[in-house]
Amino acid sequence: LKGSQALWTVFNDADPSAHNNDAGDTDPLGVEVHVYVYGDESSCPSRRTLYLEYTVINKGNNDLHDTYLSFWVDPDIGEAGNDLVGCDTQRALGFAYSEAPDEIYGIVPPAAGLKLIQGPVVPALGKTAQIAQTNTALVDHMNLSMTAFSSYVNGTDPGSAAQAYNYMHGLSREGDIITNPTTGLPTRFVYSGDPVAETGWIDETPRDKRLMVSTGPFEMIPGDTQYSVIAVMVGQGAPTASGDIDTIFADHTSGTSDGSALALVTDPGAQTGHDYRITIQEGGPDHYYSWAVENITLDTVLRSGLTNQSGEGDYPDIDGLTIKLLGPTPGVDTVQFMGERRFSWANADGFHWEGFRGAIGWGGPGDLRGFGSHYPVLPSDLTTVEVRFAETDADGQFDPNDPNVSYGYRYLRATGPPARPEFAPFILDPLAGSYGFQEFAKNVPLSAWDMTVQPPRRLTVGFLENNVSGGLVNGRYWPPAHDEASNTDAGGAREWLWIYLDDYHDVPKPEYMANAVDDPMPIMYWCTMTRRGDVALESGTSMTIAPSNFNTKADVFEFTVPESPISTRAYDPFEPGIEYILSCWPTETVSTLTALFRVDSAASVDYQTVRSVCQCPYLADIDANGLLDVSDLNQMISVLFSRGEQVIDPGCPCSRTDFNADGFSDAVDLNQLIRHLFFAGRRPSNPCD
């Protein structure tokens, strides 16, 4: 099961009577389609995404030439009649958004995207295609990307199969080539501009739109199977005081991880206009890397020891921002097979490892007691490993002289008397204890190679056998078929392969002739996989395990926060503050307080104590012109934020500006000064008097 929830369905076009739509009134093609849909709630971007894996099988008798797949959507973003569409050719993405305001979503309608993650496979020398459905890679092939993006208005739908096929090609309904009006060049991608930057060809006619993300051509003879994966995404921004961006994406200024960072604007009025940096540090035993947020402008570390990189949950709120670091989990990222895949995750994913759908992961057997009790191999030391299989029969018998047969360390769970009589010859040390060492021999029909160095270096391997009635204790690594037994349950086979970060050797090392759980050993990868039925291994086939490219100390992210916009919102006149006052002032006087409005001196600048002596009791009419006006406030600002003492009207008994007695003459004090200055002992009937 992928994700947090999954659905599956199958359909075909075999019923001729169902071919009655004007856009496809044709004979059946004989095509069957499987769709596997899943979603994941674990991280912020993914929880707004549905993944659709399509498996297309030619079960008819027709050779299908120049075949295209098109993913068609009638988006209806809120109100149906004001949709706009576009595409991003670099991201193989089609999208729809709504002209605001929308009668359903208001001033901030969402946008929906349709992204082609994996296209059909076609021959291509020197390239490698990925197939998510089978978790395999196919050399000398490639995945097609989005080859056309089409859109049309409701009422101009294709009226024949030929017109539908024209849209799939990125042509007009009648089959004419489309010209991009901003470049004057022919194109198969309509509205390929950037609506945020307002560049390129942008949809400017909000209507009830349809869109099509298409890919092709490819061939399918009877019996052929093609695969494709689409992501359906939705996102929504948030309004800000002056239309500024609500998400600030950080630049990845150092390092090569697959991580990213961003800041979500939660309080536009608190933005500082400063530069920020996210750095990675070594963490504690449960988090090998933590991260910190620095204010570059002030040369200050604001938060440190942060560990969340999931995109969800608890993130720090700083200066009106929620600052997020995202990155893949340390451990296995991908598992790919060369040649026919002989292994499965079925009945093998009980420990929910991060790779191969839960059947392969980073860690050693010490993790059985507490999961993470000790990691002799740090995630930064993980390497890409190629496992090369030896030739075997369906019972796991092999020629020990096969160059890919390895010496391996064999350990036994539940040592003691044999659980079955046939186990007796292979329990060499019944007193070794559970997970104790048994022997070092040529007993593993594969070899493991570190591919991060040239030439690749061969690595040490080991494995476990389980001395229970459901085990397979026979002295050689040979996991069960997926339909025969569980390979993770305590009463099952538990035939586990371990790959060490150590050079291969044919003479045993004493430190590995120990207890696999209690004695730390440099084990990188733990494989609990089963076999795909009663199958043999074939020489020339292989499996590659690659680690995730997670955030490390080498990775640095930086971003700049725009300065706070000036609020224009009205507030309760009986609780006036600086935002309320600004809402009442003419535009030309608002600039007086712009810099002041952004100041939080207690967190940023330690102003020297200043004091003001002025008219009492309401700090009013400093310049004694008979008015409570901006001139008075300007003088207050000058006094309040001056470095050093200033005195106005020394005879006044009011002698300090630190209203809240926090040791700083800061913006909090200023708010109170404004309240006194403009509402001196009265509650005005007109709030802007």
Side-chain angles (χ1 to χ4, degrees):
L1 180 69
K2 293 185 179 180
S4 304
Q5 183 178 1
L7 305 171
W8 183 86
T9 188
V10 58
F11 51 89
N12 60 55
D13 74 334
D15 182 3
S17 67
H19 289 241
N20 54 10
N21 184 286
D22 288 342
D25 187 10
T26 62
D27 293 330
L29 295 174
V31 169
E32 182 175 286
V33 180
H34 303 177
V35 187
Y36 186 72
V37 186
Y38 62 94
D40 191 352
E41 63 183 356
S42 64
S43 64
C44 186
S46 295
R47 70 184 176 91
R48 300 189 186 98
T49 305
L50 290 179
Y51 298 91
L52 293 82
E53 296 184 352
Y54 288 85
T55 301
V56 182
I57 309 170
N58 184 359
K59 291 196 171 182
N61 298 317
N62 302 312
D63 290 341
L64 305 181
H65 301 292
D66 292 326
T67 309
Y68 282 76
L69 294 180
S70 287
F71 303 92
W72 179 97
V73 174
D74 175 11
D76 289 349
I77 307 296
E79 178 185 357
N82 64 348
D83 286 350
L84 299 161
V85 300
C87 71
D88 186 328
T89 58
Q90 298 300 312
R91 293 182 171 89
L93 171 71
F95 53 85
Y97 54 106
S98 183
E99 183 184 57
D102 183 271
E103 66 179 11
I104 294 177
Y105 286 107
I107 63 171
V108 193
L114 196 68
K115 177 178 173 61
L116 180 64
I117 293 179
Q118 173 191 296
V121 175
V122 296
L125 289 176
K127 297 187 177 181
T128 301
Q130 307 294 332
I131 303 176
Q133 287 86 337
T134 59
N135 202 25
T136 57
L138 191 61
V139 296
D140 291 332
H141 288 75
M142 63 176 283
N143 298 101
L144 289 173
S145 185
M146 179 174 70
T147 55
F149 177 79
S150 302
S151 176
Y152 58 87
V153 177
N154 183 15
T156 63
D157 306 69
S160 67
Q163 290 181 353
Y165 197 54
N166 287 337
Y167 276 137
M168 298 170 79
H169 277 255
L171 303 172
S172 73
R173 183 175 65 166
E174 290 70 31
D176 297 323
I177 294 175
I178 294 173
T179 299
N180 184 323
T182 63
T183 65
L185 299 175
T187 182
R188 293 181 184 267
F189 304 92
V190 300
Y191 307 127
S192 56
D194 185 342
V196 176
E198 298 183 343
T199 58
W201 185 11
I202 301 170
D203 187 358
E204 296 178 343
T205 56
R207 302 281 296 277
D208 185 3
K209 300 287 180 67
R210 284 90 164 92
L211 63 85
M212 295 168 64
V213 172
S214 301
T215 180
F218 54 90
E219 309 293 312
M220 291 188 74
I221 64 174
D224 270 2
T225 299
Q226 279 284 5
Y227 305 92
S228 192
V229 180
I230 282 283
V232 180
M233 303 164 285
V234 64
Q236 186 169 22
T240 58
S242 59
D244 292 278
I245 58 173
D246 61 290
T247 302
I248 303 167
F249 294 96
D251 294 325
H252 196 169
T253 59
S254 178
T256 59
S257 76
D258 292 331
S260 61
L262 55 87
L264 303 175
V265 178
T266 56
D267 182 1
Q271 295 168 222
T272 61
H274 293 172
D275 298 324
Y276 294 81
R277 178 185 294 127
I278 294 175
T279 56
I280 319 295
Q281 294 89 33
E282 291 184 356
D286 295 327
H287 303 282
Y288 281 91
Y289 293 93
S290 62
W291 53 283
V293 180
E294 304 173 14
N295 186 314
I296 302 174
T297 304
L298 302 179
D299 192 22
T300 303
V301 177
L302 303 176
R303 292 287 296 275
S304 62
L306 302 165
T307 57
N308 185 11
Q309 298 186 37
S310 69
E312 275 293 356
D314 184 32
Y315 275 97
D317 289 322
I318 300 171
D319 295 341
L321 308 166
T322 297
I323 298 175
K324 295 191 174 188
L325 176 66
L326 298 87
T329 302
V332 175
D333 181 28
T334 60
V335 177
Q336 298 179 336
F337 288 85
M338 180 72 69
E340 187 170 356
R341 177 166 63 90
R342 297 297 193 184
F343 290 93
S344 173
W345 53 83
N347 250 337
D349 57 355
F351 294 138
H352 307 291
W353 300 130
E354 65 275 3
F356 198 44
R357 297 195 184 182
I360 298 178
W362 157 53
D367 299 334
L368 279 174
R369 296 180 180 171
F371 287 92
S373 55
H374 52 71
Y375 287 117
V377 178
L378 295 178
S380 55
D381 296 327
L382 297 177
T383 67
T384 297
V385 172
E386 182 179 292
V387 177
R388 301 170 184 172
F389 299 112
E391 193 80 23
T392 74
D393 62 17
D395 293 325
Q397 301 288 343
F398 51 81
D399 180 356
N401 295 316
D402 187 310
N404 282 321
V405 171
S406 294
Y407 279 95
Y409 292 89
R410 182 168 67 91
Y411 304 87
L412 191 67
R413 180 183 178 273
T415 48
R420 287 167 28 193
E422 61 268 32
F423 293 175
F426 306 103
I427 302 178
L428 305 183
D429 186 357
L431 302 179
S434 190
Y435 295 91
F437 172 76
Q438 291 296 308
E439 69 172 333
F440 180 79
K442 272 197 168 182
N443 48 21
V444 182
L446 54 84
S447 60
W449 300 81
D450 179 358
M451 304 303 292
T452 60
V453 295
Q454 292 298 326
R457 62 166 178 155
R458 192 167 181 175
L459 300 174
T460 300
V461 295
F463 68 101
L464 179 75
E465 293 188 314
N466 195 14
N467 181 29
V468 296
S469 59
L472 297 172
V473 181
N474 57 16
R476 63 181 184 275
Y477 172 67
W478 193 244
H482 70 87
D483 55 354
E484 292 178 354
S486 167
N487 206 31
T488 55
D489 289 348
R494 285 205 168 182
E495 194 94 356
W496 299 339
L497 174 70
W498 293 317
I499 300 174
Y500 298 64
L501 185 59
D502 190 14
D503 290 336
Y504 178 74
H505 43 268
D506 53 15
V507 176
K509 291 186 175 182
E511 57 266 35
Y512 301 155
M513 301 168 66
N515 187 282
V517 169
D518 295 332
D519 299 304
M521 300 177 188
I523 294 175
M524 284 195 296
Y525 299 125
W526 183 349
C527 307
T528 59
M529 55 198 182
T530 54
R531 288 181 299 124
R532 300 184 73 190
D534 191 20
V535 295
L537 302 183
E538 294 182 357
S539 179
T541 61
S542 64
M543 172 181 72
T544 299
I545 304 171
S548 62
N549 193 14
F550 60 96
N551 295 317
T552 70
K553 291 188 294 182
D555 294 286
V556 176
F557 302 87
E558 295 181 351
F559 60 93
T560 298
V561 178
E563 294 184 343
S564 298
I566 296 299
S567 171
T568 58
R569 295 171 292 176
Y571 284 76
D572 180 354
F574 300 117
E575 290 296 333
I578 190 168
E579 290 175 304
Y580 172 74
I581 296 302
L582 293 179
S583 72
C584 298
W585 280 357
T587 303
E588 60 270 17
T589 61
V590 168
S591 59
T592 305
L593 294 181
T594 300
L596 187 61
F597 185 52
R598 304 186 189 105
V599 171
D600 179 3
S601 63
S604 57
V605 180
D606 184 1
Y607 285 96
Q608 298 179 29
T609 301
V610 299
R611 62 191 176 96
S612 171
V613 180
C614 52
Q615 296 180 15
C616 289
Y618 298 118
L619 307 174
D621 198 8
I622 292 179
D623 58 358
N625 67 354
L627 299 173
L628 306 179
D629 57 10
V630 175
S631 175
D632 297 300
L633 182 63
N634 281 338
Q635 294 187 58
M636 281 292 182
I637 293 170
S638 177
V639 172
L640 188 61
F641 288 87
S642 298
R643 296 183 179 276
E645 296 188 357
Q646 292 187 19
V647 176
I648 299 176
D649 188 5
C652 179
C654 296
S655 60
R656 68 185 182 92
T657 60
D658 188 9
F659 271 61
N660 59 357
D662 65 352
F664 300 97
S665 298
D666 58 10
V668 176
D669 298 296
L670 182 66
N671 275 331
Q672 297 185 56
L673 286 171
I674 291 171
R675 180 174 181 177
H676 282 276
L677 184 64
F678 284 88
F679 299 94
R682 60 194 176 91
R683 295 182 178 230
S685 58
N686 180 354
C688 291
D689 275 350

